[in-house]
């Protein structure tokens, strides 16, 4: 295989490795691992990512895997976000949240004058209050006043408004408490907390990076070391050290700066027949790995595709290239489409067909307003892991 790829070849590879091209169906846990995990900025995003991969016709299958069979897990992970991952990968993914929380806790302890006694007594108060499962509102009401101490502006900047919110976040990161939707639906509030009777074994982040590296590269190749480091929120030097033992090859992509890594078995897939259309949710795995849409988007379409805080809106792709954005109109039960580039008649017909099918799934299977996708074709700001832990 040539070490120089055209942009069209790279886009075909990204689609194929993200299982966006139609193929034999995989069990949900295998598919989630194969695409590098599903970011969960809003409750509907994982389901919509699976629909885009031809893996879900009813939302209940995802809920069942998460909250009954537990072959999947919803856990805090890299960059402060929630992730849907396989149960097998959950401890390694949690490791990033544990490391991130330790740094947050140290900063807030120094800024707010918190002692180890404050943290320990609040933890015990939370454990006592969670003798029975409670929603965040009920948990707040059950805690003593000292535990609900306001952490002021430093706490608000860190996403931990109160002392209890800080401690609860740490307990969730290590798996001491579990967090599930009260109705067993990932797309529906409120969330409920309970003590987890099964202690979690979370490896150090230094061990988690090597464990997840090859899977992530296989899911997103060809991909640069810089994007790999950004995905896990680690230094470039640490990323290079983690990738060195993997025996990866380097390729270049015409029109995209820098070298990109691929696994040894990498091959460029054949071109699809017809028009390949993908309708992706906010922070779909394909987009999350390329937050600046590098290689996915022509420069004149990037501004239209990026919403506030440089977050990509729900995207329309044709043959792996961004051509527009979409949002769900709950009143009409249909998608509103906004081209970022002109569409041909064939592209427009294929996009309309995909949009009608996706709108039907959303109207049938999801709670539209909490999706945060019914807002003027703009994506929500990414929600950090456990945003309702503020208490």
């Amino acid at each position: 295989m040539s070490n120089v790829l055209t942009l069209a070849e790279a886009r075909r590879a990204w689609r194929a490795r993200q299982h966006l091209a139609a193929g034999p169906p995989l069990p949900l846990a295998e598919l989630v691992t194969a695409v590098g995990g599903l970011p969960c900025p809003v409750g509907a995003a994982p389901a919509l990512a699976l629909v885009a991969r031809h893996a879900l016709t009813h939302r209940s299958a995802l809920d069942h895997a998460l909250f009954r069979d537990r072959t999947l897990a919803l856990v805090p992970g890299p960059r402060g976000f929630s992730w849907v991952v396989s149960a097998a990968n959950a401890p390694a993914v949690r490791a990033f949240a544990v490391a991130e929380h330790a740094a947050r806790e140290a900063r807030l302890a120094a800024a707010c004058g918190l002692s180890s006694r404050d943290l320990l007594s609040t933890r015990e108060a939370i454990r006592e209050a969670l003798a029975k499962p409670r929603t965040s509102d009920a948990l707040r009401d059950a805690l003593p006043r000292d535990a609900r101490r306001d952490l002021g502006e430093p706490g608000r900047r860190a996403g931990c408004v109160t002392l209890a919110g800080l401690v609860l976040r740490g307990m969730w990161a290590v798996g001491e408490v579990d967090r599930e939707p009260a109705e067993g639906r990932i797309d529906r509030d409120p969330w409920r907390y309970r003590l987890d009777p099964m202690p979690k074994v979370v490896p150090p982040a230094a061990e988690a990076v090597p464990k997840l590296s090859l899977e992530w590269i296989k899911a997103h190749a060809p991909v640069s070391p810089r994007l790999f480091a950004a995905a896990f929120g680690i230094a470039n030097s640490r990323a290079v050290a983690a990738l060195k033992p993997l025996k990866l090859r380097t390729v270049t992509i015409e029109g995209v700066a820098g070298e990109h890594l691929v696994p040894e078995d990498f091959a460029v897939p054949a071109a699809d027949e017809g028009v390949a259309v993908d309708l992706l949710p906010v922070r779909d795995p394909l987009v999350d790995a390329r937050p600046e849409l590098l290689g996915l988007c022509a420069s004149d379409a990037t501004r239209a595709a990026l919403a506030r805080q440089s977050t990509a809106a729900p995207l329309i792709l044709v043959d792996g290239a961004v051509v527009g954005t979409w949002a769900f109109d709950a009143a009409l039960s249909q998608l509103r489409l906004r081209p970022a580039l002109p569409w041909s008649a064939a592209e427009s017909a294929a996009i309309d067909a995909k949009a009608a099918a996706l709108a039907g799934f959303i109207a049938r299977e999801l709670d539209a307003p909490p999706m945060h996708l019914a807002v003027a074709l703009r994506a929500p700001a990414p929600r950090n892991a456990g945003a309702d832990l503020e208490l």
Side-chain angles (χ1 to χ4, degrees), residues 278-303:
D278 303 306
L279 301 183
L280 303 183
V282 175
R283 289 191 64 230
D284 181 87
L286 174 67
V287 178
D288 183 69
R290 297 168 181 81
E292 298 172 1
L293 305 182
L294 191 66
L296 296 176
C297 202
S299 58
D300 52 351
T302 303
R303 183 173 182 180

Side-chain angles (χ1 to χ4, degrees), residues 282-283 305-308 311-314 326 372-373 375-382:
V282 175
R283 289 191 64 230
L306 292 177
R308 58 179 176 267
T311 302
W326 66 269
H372 296 201
L373 296 179
V375 182
L377 292 163
R378 299 186 69 182

Side-chain angles (χ1 to χ4, degrees), residues 27 38 43 86 92 97 120-121 155 193-194 240 254 268-269 276 280 334 349 368 370:
L38 304 177
S86 69
L120 287 173
S121 63
Y193 298 88
R194 65 178 179 86
V240 170
E254 293 177 358
V268 177
L280 303 183
Q334 65 185 29

